[in-house]
């Protein structure tokens, strides 16, 4: 087996369905297996997905043991030379996995790979490439120095903004949403640390891979990561888990960094966590501005009315809807008509009229990062 793909699901069956559609297309012709661990979802995920994806191995948990433990469950039963840990709220391109396997084959020193993650507006997610949160790096991040000096190799090491998003780099941290790992490295350094319930386990594993003598790489292979659809960021439990994970990592690897730095890091974590929890409890998040919405649908002409009906149902405030006829024009031709594209606030792709690779390329290359993107699946008739 060349590749084992592990996905942990918790109450996001429609996002996972779309993710599995993209995975199915990406592993076509490969020796690959897909394992989904369901952490006791209550939305009928397994009943809905099992008949649609008979090639997938579903592991059903009777409780929610956490992200790290669920991934380890599947890794132990998998047999791939490489292991991909993938979030359910992601979409990958048809050629992405094959390309990454080739890279790993040619770079035996590589323990893991991270990729170029885009959000639902096509904007680059900075957590795609990061450094280890040493006391100094954490201090600069938590107290805003990295934002004040984004091009500084001294103050902005956390997200490495001075490294090009379009080039390959050696990095330290791989994002848990997409961790492409060498099994040999996992056998040497161990699996995910299960003391992390959620968040931080990716940093911890990345750290141990480097300590084990391997290198981690950032490759500008595009994926879509909705980022947070499988968690509730305003929830107090999320705040506790996220900032608690930071403290676990800090205590584990930097226990002797000095009392002053330790105090400052802990104070910053406490203040940031408390503020986030307060905002979530009081509902102080900014409400999105109401705007005139104009939609362009990229599909074949015979699918236009069906996709349009699904979009209008979801977005009744749409002012008008236009067709980009894929029978006559290519997906990427849209980029060449930037003046026309400025008229639209939303773009909807119809799959498989448009390939996932084409969607990701268009989202990445569009200059306007305020456009909202949607994907309509012709088979499931779901709009995401």
């Amino acid at each position: 087996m060349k590749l084992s793909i592990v996905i942990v699901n918790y109450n996001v069956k429609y996002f996972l369905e779309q993710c599995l559609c993209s995975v199915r297309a990406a592993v076509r012709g490969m020796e690959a297996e897909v394992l989904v661990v369901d952490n006791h979802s209550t939305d009928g995920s397994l009943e809905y997905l099992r008949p649609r994806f008979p090639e997938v191995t579903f592991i059903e948990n009777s409780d929610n043991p956490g992200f790290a433990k669920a991934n380890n469950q599947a890794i132990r039963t998998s047999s791939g030379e490489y292991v991909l840990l993938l979030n359910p709220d992601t979409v990958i391109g048809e050629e992405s996995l094959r390309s990454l396997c080739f890279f790993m084959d040619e770079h035996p020193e590589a323990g893991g790979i991270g990729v170029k993650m885009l959000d639902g507006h096509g904007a680059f997610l900075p957590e795609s490439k990061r450094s280890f949160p040493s006391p100094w790096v954490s201090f600069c991040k938590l107290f805003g120095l990295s934002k004040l000096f984004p091009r500084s190799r001294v103050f902005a090491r956390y997200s490495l903004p001075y490294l090009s998003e379009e080039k390959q780099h050696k990095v330290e941290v791989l994002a848990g949403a997409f961790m492409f790992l060498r099994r040999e490295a996992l056998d040497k350094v161990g699996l995910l640390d299960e003391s992390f319930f959620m968040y931080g386990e990716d940093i911890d594993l990345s750290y141990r891979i480097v300590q084990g003598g391997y290198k981690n790489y950032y490759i500008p292979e595009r994926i879509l990561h909705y980022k947070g659809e499988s968690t509730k960021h305003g929830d107090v439990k999320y705040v506790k888990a996220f900032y608690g994970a930071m403290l676990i990592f800090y205590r584990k690897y930097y226990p002797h960094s000095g009392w002053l730095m330790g105090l400052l890091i802990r104070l910053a974590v406490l203040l940031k966590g408390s503020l986030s929890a307060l905002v979530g409890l009081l509902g102080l998040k900014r409400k999105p501005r109401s705007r005139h919405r104009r939609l362009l649908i990229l599909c074949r002409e015979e699918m236009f009315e069906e996709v349009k009906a699904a979009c209008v149902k979801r977005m009744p405030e749409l002012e008008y809807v236009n067709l980009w006829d894929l029978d006559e024009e290519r997906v990427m031709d849209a980029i060449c008509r930037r003046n026309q594209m400025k008229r639209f606030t939303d773009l909807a792709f119809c799959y498989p009229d448009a390939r996932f690779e084409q969607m990701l390329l268009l989202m990445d290359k569009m200059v306007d990062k305020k456009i909202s993107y949607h994907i309509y699946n012709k088979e499931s008739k779901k709009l995401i």
Side-chain angles (χ1 to χ4, degrees), residues 246-258:
M246 289 184 67
L247 285 176
I248 292 172
F249 181 85
Y250 183 73
R251 289 166 182 155
K252 184 175 179 179
Y253 294 110
Y254 300 100
H256 306 299
S257 59

Side-chain angles (χ1 to χ4, degrees), residues 356-373:
F356 291 118
E357 292 274 4
Q358 294 172 318
M359 301 178 199
L360 295 169
L361 180 58
L362 180 74
M363 293 173 66
D364 189 19
K365 295 303 181 183
M366 287 293 289
V367 176
D368 185 358
K369 298 304 179 184
K370 294 181 180 179
I371 292 176
S372 294
Y373 293 92

Side-chain angles (χ1 to χ4, degrees), residues 236-363:
V236 175
K237 289 182 180 178
Y238 159 78
V239 174
K240 184 178 179 181
F242 182 77
Y243 292 105
M246 289 184 67
L247 285 176
I248 292 172
F249 181 85
Y250 183 73
R251 289 166 182 155
K252 184 175 179 179
Y253 294 110
Y254 300 100
H256 306 299
S257 59
W259 69 270
L260 179 59
M261 181 61 75
L263 177 64
L264 290 173
I265 294 294
R266 287 170 172 79
L267 177 62
V269 169
L270 178 63
L271 290 174
K272 207 169 182 69
S274 300
L275 180 61
S276 296
L278 183 63
V279 168
L281 285 171
L282 298 180
L284 298 178
K285 286 188 175 181
R286 290 182 181 178
K287 295 181 179 179
R289 295 179 181 178
S290 60
R291 58 178 181 171
H292 302 291
R293 300 184 75 172
R294 301 172 297 278
L295 172 68
L296 179 65
I297 297 175
L298 294 87
C299 68
R300 300 191 182 281
E301 187 174 8
E302 66 267 21
M303 287 300 302
F304 178 62
E305 292 301 328
E306 181 179 321
V307 180
K308 177 181 177 181
C311 292
V312 170
K313 183 178 180 181
R314 180 73 62 84
M315 300 173 278
E317 69 276 21
L318 284 170
E319 288 186 341
Y320 62 83
V321 182
N322 279 25
L323 167 66
W324 186 273
D325 188 355
L326 295 181
D327 286 315
E328 298 180 359
E329 300 187 81
R330 298 178 305 170
V331 172
M332 294 310 299
D333 288 338
I335 295 179
C336 302
R337 302 188 183 179
R338 293 182 180 177
N339 290 332
Q340 285 181 282
M341 299 303 289
K342 288 178 181 178
R343 297 182 297 160
F344 299 101
T345 59
D346 296 77
L347 266 66
F349 302 101
C350 179
Y351 177 78
D353 291 0
R355 300 172 76 240
F356 291 118
E357 292 274 4
Q358 294 172 318
M359 301 178 199
L360 295 169
L361 180 58
L362 180 74
M363 293 173 66

Side-chain angles (χ1 to χ4, degrees), residues 57-173:
T57 299
F58 289 93
I59 302 171
E60 184 175 3
N61 283 329
S62 58
D63 62 351
N64 185 353
F67 181 79
K69 191 169 185 178
N71 271 297
N72 288 346
Q73 272 182 273
I75 294 172
R76 291 189 182 103
T77 64
S78 68
S79 56
E81 178 184 354
Y82 305 124
V83 177
L84 170 61
L85 306 185
L86 185 66
N87 265 29
D89 54 348
T90 57
V91 172
I92 64 176
E94 285 84 353
E95 303 303 323
S96 57
L97 302 184
R98 195 170 279 101
S99 297
L100 296 178
C101 283
F102 288 154
F103 181 88
M104 290 292 256
D105 289 345
E106 294 173 358
H107 294 79
E109 81 284 359
I113 300 174
V115 293
K116 183 179 185 178
M117 298 190 294
L118 308 175
D119 69 10
H121 299 285
F124 175 76
L125 290 171
E127 57 266 37
S128 299
K129 48 181 176 63
R130 289 175 292 170
S131 293
F132 294 131
S134 66
W136 173 248
V137 171
S138 299
F139 178 83
C140 293
K141 167 69 175 173
L142 292 168
F143 286 93
L145 293 176
S146 55
K147 283 188 176 181
L148 284 175
F149 307 100
R151 295 297 167 188
S152 170
R153 292 177 180 267
V154 175
F155 298 111
R157 285 187 57 206
Y158 183 77
S159 295
L160 304 170
Y162 45 83
L163 296 182
S164 171
E165 304 162 9
E166 308 301 330
K167 295 181 180 179
Q168 171 188 317
H169 303 285
K170 291 177 186 176
V171 295
E172 293 176 337
V173 175

Side-chain angles (χ1 to χ4, degrees), residues 22-56:
S22 71
V23 168
R24 175 185 278 169
V27 300
R28 194 165 288 132
M30 294 180 63
E31 293 181 352
E33 62 180 346
V34 183
L35 303 96
V36 171
V37 184
D38 186 78
N39 274 352
H40 197 50
S41 294
T42 57
D43 65 347
S45 289
L46 294 181
E47 296 80 0
Y48 178 76
L49 293 167
R50 270 187 174 132
R52 288 169 168 79
F53 299 94
E55 74 276 19
V56 173

